[in-house]
Amino acid sequence: MQARHILVINCGSSSIKFALIHEAHSQTFLSGEAQNLGTYDAELHWRRGPEHDSLMIPNADHRAALSQLLPIVQGACGGKLHGIGHRVVHGGERFSAARRIDPQVLAEIKATAHLAPLHNPANLLGIEATLKQFPNLPQVAVFDTAFHHSLPEYAFRYALPEQLYRDHGIRRYGFHGTSHRYVSARAAEMSNLPIEDSSWLSAHLGNGCSTCAVVNGQSRDTSMGLTPLEGVVMGTRSGDVDPNLHSHLAMALGWDIEKIDYMLNHDAGLLGLSGLSNDMRTLEQAHHDGHEGATLAIEVFCYRLAKSLAAMSCALPRLDGLIFTGGIGENSPLIRAKTVAHLRLLNLQLDDEANERYIRGLSGTIHAYGHPRVLVIPTNEERQIALDTLQLLH
Ligand code: ADP
């Protein structure tokens, strides 16, 4: 059988990120993004190997952008597109694995939209536009939450009245599942351990950040909850705060719920702490230049991350390794070193030279001899979505 190509699509409210994945190659064939959709500045840009290209598509909506995208994608794969995989952020309790999209699955994704009002409606917009644009191509939805379906109830329930869970689905769901699943499988492969008998801590550190305990290929606990705001410090998201913060800000400052929500999601995290930036590269540079806010943001980020990893270790029977991934995890020796320094009780220690070496897409182990494994593994959510799509279409 000929090797197959899958188009992976990740739709935001005004953007479409895409990647063309070839099942036999780990390198992405073609990738790009349509940005500012629905505005005069709408633009499509893409990269194929070393080549970059872009096209202005004034006022294009999702459907119009997809119609521009198709010839580029078909051109890149010689007209042999096999199917489309969509990233869907929230699958609620309904979806424990990827599903082929049909009218019933579409209706079920719609019924879950209230759990992720910022993300799922945008994902749906993309799916519906793609179904209209490519009616003959099989399409699959891959959910960020699905990997965390294996959480035991004592890990996914909040200590809240039962009726809130039963009638309204208020529980911890977890996100970044596709990434935690991909890197833990890679970690097992790299360590010559069967994934069915292995035990990992995983730290996905991008703009959003989360930790996960993966036992025998299943998620057993994770730091994000009902929404992607819970857990560790992120670029602009606060992570955990005292749940009474809302009422305190309402009473003390007269803030309404929208203002508090906006602050916690967009003005907090590394940006709020540093008063400078949500971007770790900028903060590291400023820290070296003596910026106190940047230094504090980095210290809080690493300490809170280490605390979360230590908490996740409660879910492990033993530790086969700690995995760093995401833009920060894959590229920042400083953050890895500062985080691991807080985890002495797990006996973790880095080899400084190896820690400096594994950046810019390199994967490898960075622990000191005689200590538990610490691995740097570039995540590849697009590839995992493509593999899930292929498996379902088989
Ligand atoms: P997203 O969650 O949007 O996919 P990424 O996984 O690309 O984001 O991660 C973005 C984060 O990675 C940013 O904070 C960025 O500064 C950080 N990052 C990328 N390269 C480096 C680097 N060399 N050193 C430190 N941080 C880095």
Side-chain angles (χ1 to χ4, degrees):
M1 188 177 29
Q2 225 178 14
R4 297 159 298 177
H5 290 89
I6 296 291
L7 176 63
V8 174
I9 289 183
N10 181 0
C11 267
S13 53
S14 62
S15 69
I16 304 173
K17 288 189 186 145
F18 63 93
L20 182 63
I21 308 285
H22 184 276
E23 68 179 322
H25 298 298
S26 58
Q27 296 298 80
T28 301
F29 221 59
L30 167 81
S31 63
E33 186 169 7
Q35 289 171 325
N36 306 319
L37 294 177
T39 73
Y40 184 73
D41 296 326
E43 186 186 3
L44 181 63
H45 53 91
W46 65 98
R47 162 201 293 244
R48 191 176 171 187
E51 292 163 36
H52 290 252
D53 233 323
S54 66
L55 182 69
M56 293 308 293
I57 43 174
N59 302 316
D61 59 8
H62 285 72
R63 205 171 155 192
L66 284 162
S67 69
Q68 298 282 352
L69 197 72
L70 179 66
I72 298 167
V73 170
Q74 291 288 28
C77 66
K80 300 229 165 50
L81 191 58
H82 200 76
I84 298 180
H86 292 271
R87 177 182 182 210
V88 179
V89 169
H90 216 308
E93 289 202 317
R94 290 160 205 260
F95 297 106
S96 57
R99 290 278 291 277
R100 184 148 176 180
I101 297 172
D102 59 21
Q104 194 197 336
V105 166
L106 204 56
E108 288 179 22
I109 297 174
K110 280 184 183 153
T112 311
H114 68 285
L115 289 170
L118 296 180
H119 295 103
N120 274 30
N123 299 155
L124 275 164
L125 205 65
I127 293 176
E128 285 175 335
T130 317
L131 285 169
K132 286 205 182 98
Q133 202 63 43
F134 314 117
N136 300 322
L137 274 178
Q139 310 206 17
V140 165
V142 180
F143 303 91
D144 265 20
T145 48
F147 183 53
H148 303 301
H149 255 250
S150 43
L151 256 59
E153 189 164 4
Y154 59 76
F156 76 65
R157 285 289 294 275
Y158 291 113
L160 293 172
E162 200 250 341
Q163 177 247 346
L164 285 176
Y165 168 58
R166 201 184 49 234
D167 297 345
H168 302 286
I170 307 295
R171 51 160 283 184
R172 309 183 62 253
Y173 290 97
F175 299 86
H176 288 152
T178 308
S179 176
H180 290 302
R181 182 158 58 103
Y182 177 82
V183 295
S184 54
R186 280 283 296 130
E189 226 172 81
M190 286 164 62
S191 311
N192 284 321
L193 291 171
I195 184 72
E196 315 75 47
D197 182 15
S198 66
S199 199
W200 309 97
L201 290 175
S202 169
H204 176 106
L205 312 175
N207 281 309
C209 302
S210 71
T211 60
C212 185
V214 185
V215 179
N216 304 340
Q218 296 190 327
S219 172
R220 290 288 164 82
D221 200 356
T222 189
S223 59
M224 285 177 167
L226 173 71
T227 75
L229 183 61
E230 187 177 332
V232 297
V233 175
M234 310 178 212
T236 61
R237 286 179 234 156
S238 62
D240 293 339
V241 291
D242 185 329
N244 264 336
L245 181 68
H246 282 74
S247 58
H248 178 80
L249 291 177
M251 284 188 289
L253 304 179
W255 286 20
D256 61 22
I257 201 80
E258 284 79 21
K259 183 164 174 160
I260 299 169
D261 245 32
Y262 190 89
M263 180 275 288
L264 291 172
N265 282 285
H266 300 285
D267 292 337
L270 293 171
L271 174 64
L273 274 165
S274 67
L276 181 67
S277 173
N278 63 318
D279 190 293
M280 191 56 93
R281 273 168 299 202
T282 308
L283 294 180
E284 286 195 18
Q285 187 56 53
H287 160 65
H288 291 303
D289 297 342
H291 189 287
E292 286 179 17
T295 301
L296 178 69
I298 288 172
E299 296 300 338
V300 175
F301 181 89
C302 295
Y303 179 63
R304 294 267 301 269
L305 172 60
K307 264 201 335 186
S308 175
L309 289 166
M312 287 297 139
S313 74
C314 295
L316 303 184
R318 63 172 189 279
L319 180 61
D320 287 326
L322 162 63
I323 306 160
F324 282 103
T325 192
I328 300 172
E330 293 164 26
N331 291 298
S332 176
L334 178 75
I335 299 300
R336 298 191 298 235
K338 281 185 174 292
T339 304
V340 167
H342 290 300
L343 292 167
R344 283 182 297 268
L345 284 183
L346 292 182
N347 193 28
L348 292 168
Q349 194 176 311
L350 296 188
D351 175 321
D352 294 338
E353 194 266 321
N355 185 31
E356 292 293 330
R357 191 174 343 126
Y358 289 103
I359 52 173
R360 289 196 211 102
L362 291 180
S363 40
T365 54
I366 59 170
H367 53 279
Y369 180 75
H371 291 266
R373 270 185 212 92
V374 181
L375 304 99
V376 176
I377 304 181
T379 193
N380 194 339
E381 291 163 280
E382 291 81 14
R383 182 157 187 81
Q384 185 66 59
I385 291 172
L387 294 175
D388 288 354
T389 302
L390 279 168
Q391 198 176 20
L392 267 184
L393 300 187
H394 207 43

